[in-house]
Amino acid sequence: MSEREKESGRAAEDRLGGGSPVSAASGGTAAGLAADSARTGAADTPVKLALSGVHKSFGSKRRPLPVIGGVSLEVREGEFVSLIGPSGSGKSTLFHLIGGLLQPDAGEIALDGRSIAGERGHIAYMPQQPALFPWRTIEDNVALDREVNGTPRRETLEEARRWMARAGLSGFEQAYPHTLSGGMQQRAAFVRALLSPHELMCLDEPFSALDAFTRSEMQAWLLDIWEETRRSVLFVTHHIEEALLLSDTIYVLSGRPSAVLRRIEVPFPRPRREEIAESPEFLALRRELTGLMKEEQRKSRSGTFES
């Protein structure tokens, strides 16, 4: 390895060791997150979504099972934010809280500065599976959100067809979901979320069921679409390389009950291409995050978590 590559690797490791782009999130406090934003100048961009000290437990009062243990994070306008953490750390539960399907036990969830805890209908959501209705054509599935929100059908279909063409789905407007490949179904589901009138998109491991080649294709496609639309995105993934490739900011969650361990500002410029994954700095960041995740998985298996 050349001296230049060694220097790049050391610089990436410094970022994860507590330099300005990465911080231990001050115990997940809002003050710690605000300090991080001030250091980077991100405070100039309005906050779209803010979670402050969110807690959630399941089970009975006598034997509660804490799942979310005081999570604080934010997504700014036009920012792509990813959540990674060990299995069972409550990432999907956080989406259910943000979407209003669950009510937090404590803490605040705010969208554009207004509390939305327990309220539905404020986000565009894409689950792990495409969740397309089998009796509706692809065109009608894509248009569903706007249809529910009362947009005139003609206007909805014109917009749907335009985005379907961008997604490589031209000619499949009248097809039914079972006739499409997994990747094409995921594209249709993403276009449906994209057509939602809501500015915040929550994507819950949308590529987890795809094979490696299709997943890589979908990542590149998502990057291109996001560069064009710049929607605010909160993205859940177990895939560290995917998070580094797609994100502006990554929050690393601890095991259950989850809290924010690290907030990483991804240093790679946009537009971003797959080749960045071969750079020494990218590899060093991936290596450090892999080590952190393995340690959290170990704690999860042993049932020992640090406070």
Side-chain angles (χ1 to χ4, degrees):
M1 181 181 289
S2 69
E3 285 302 314
R4 184 170 179 271
E5 290 175 329
K6 289 177 183 177
E7 285 298 321
S8 294
R10 282 194 289 268
E13 289 169 1
D14 287 344
R15 284 190 172 89
L16 281 161
S20 60
V22 178
S23 66
S26 302
T29 65
L33 297 178
D36 290 339
S37 296
R39 277 196 298 269
T40 61
D44 293 338
T45 306
V47 174
K48 174 60 67 175
L49 174 73
L51 275 61
S52 301
V54 172
H55 290 256
K56 183 64 183 177
S57 296
F58 295 99
S60 65
K61 289 184 178 180
R62 208 176 262 188
R63 299 188 65 183
L65 176 64
V67 176
I68 308 295
V71 167
S72 296
L73 59 84
E74 63 185 24
V75 181
R76 293 184 174 270
E77 288 190 5
E79 185 180 23
F80 197 119
V81 175
S82 286
L83 294 176
I84 61 174
S87 295
S89 60
K91 298 182 294 297
S92 293
T93 299
L94 278 174
F95 272 9
H96 294 158
L97 289 165
I98 294 165
L101 299 176
L102 296 172
Q103 185 96 9
D105 298 331
E108 183 179 331
I109 302 171
L111 187 69
D112 294 322
R114 188 181 76 81
S115 177
I116 60 166
E119 295 183 12
R120 302 185 187 186
H122 294 292
I123 65 170
Y125 176 65
M126 181 176 173
Q128 295 179 19
Q129 300 296 328
L132 302 173
F133 289 115
W135 60 86
R136 294 178 69 107
T137 65
I138 296 302
E139 180 179 77
D140 285 338
N141 267 287
V142 165
L144 181 61
D145 202 329
R146 287 203 172 190
E147 180 183 313
V148 169
N149 281 280
T151 306
R153 180 170 174 79
R154 180 175 178 180
E155 178 186 332
T156 296
L157 289 181
E158 286 177 357
E159 187 75 356
R161 288 164 185 163
R162 185 172 74 85
W163 278 105
M164 287 178 70
R166 287 282 287 110
L169 295 172
S170 289
F172 294 92
E173 292 86 353
Q174 300 305 312
Y176 288 89
H178 73 275
T179 66
L180 271 61
S181 68
M184 293 175 77
Q185 289 184 35
Q186 288 296 85
R187 291 186 187 211
F190 182 81
V191 172
R192 179 179 59 194
L194 191 66
L195 286 175
S196 165
H198 308 300
E199 286 297 316
L200 176 66
M201 298 180 67
C202 290
L203 312 181
D204 190 359
E205 295 194 80
F207 308 144
S208 61
L210 303 177
D211 62 83
F213 180 76
T214 305
R215 184 175 195 144
S216 179
E217 277 193 326
M218 289 297 296
Q219 289 167 358
W221 176 80
L222 177 56
L223 274 176
D224 285 341
I225 294 293
W226 182 82
E227 290 285 356
E228 182 175 337
T229 62
R230 291 287 174 151
R231 297 281 286 276
S232 301
V233 172
L234 186 59
F235 184 89
V236 164
T237 181
H238 280 96
H239 201 281
I240 291 171
E241 185 169 307
E242 182 170 75
L244 287 170
L245 181 65
L246 296 175
S247 310
D248 298 306
T249 302
I250 300 172
Y251 287 93
V252 183
L253 299 181
S254 69
R256 190 176 67 238
S258 61
V260 175
L261 289 178
R262 295 286 189 274
R263 175 181 180 273
I264 297 112
E265 291 179 6
V266 181
F268 311 117
R270 295 189 186 275
R272 206 172 286 166
R273 292 293 176 261
E274 291 182 12
E275 291 75 19
I276 195 70
E278 300 172 6
S279 71
E281 191 171 26
F282 188 102
L283 294 173
L285 280 166
R286 187 181 69 179
R287 184 168 58 249
E288 290 290 334
L289 280 171
T290 299
L292 183 62
M293 291 290 292
K294 284 182 177 179
E295 177 62 16
E296 285 304 302
Q297 291 282 21
R298 183 192 65 76
K299 292 177 186 176
S300 296
R301 287 193 295 268
S302 65
T304 58
F305 300 106
E306 297 174 1
S307 59

